[in-house]
Amino acid sequence: MVGARQPEAAGEACQALTDSGRHPAYRISKTALNDLTRLLAAEPAGAGVLVNAADPGWTRSGTGGPAAPREPEEGADTPVWPATLPEGDGTTGGLFADRRQLPR
């Protein structure tokens, strides 16, 4: 597990820079994390190592705050899920949210 993906980032730096200027540093960091996930996934090709990123969604936490709609257990569901995919699934370099792989 490398990290989280915010749906607003959509994997594009230009999107991160143009979304009304809201939280640009955070958004750019998530875009960079998405790219890092893809780069790391390509490194161990054929070694049986899978690298994926997961978005826990807006979750109640020190960062998400008390208004977030998801309990921490719900936020943990998707990040844990790719780590438990059956052997041989082969999904690597993916970005997941709500147990679904997001388009690249």
Side-chain angles (χ1 to χ4, degrees), residues 40-55:
L40 290 175
E43 290 291 322
V49 176
L50 305 179
V51 180
N52 293 293
D55 174 7

Side-chain angles (χ1 to χ4, degrees), residues 58-62 64-72 74:
W58 186 20
T59 302
R60 273 178 240 133
S61 66
R70 293 184 188 210
E71 293 289 340
E74 293 171 294

Side-chain angles (χ1 to χ4, degrees), residues 22-97:
R22 295 184 334 223
H23 314 292
Y26 177 81
R27 296 166 59 76
I28 290 168
S29 75
K30 296 307 153 203
T31 300
L33 187 56
N34 296 342
D35 289 339
L36 179 61
T37 298
R38 291 183 191 118
L39 288 171
L40 290 175
E43 290 291 322
V49 176
L50 305 179
V51 180
N52 293 293
D55 174 7
W58 186 20
T59 302
R60 273 178 240 133
S61 66
T63 304
R70 293 184 188 210
E71 293 289 340
E73 295 79 11
E74 293 171 294
D77 181 67
T78 293
V80 169
W81 177 71
T84 61
L85 289 172
E87 195 169 324
D89 178 273
T91 302
T92 192
L95 307 171
F96 292 88

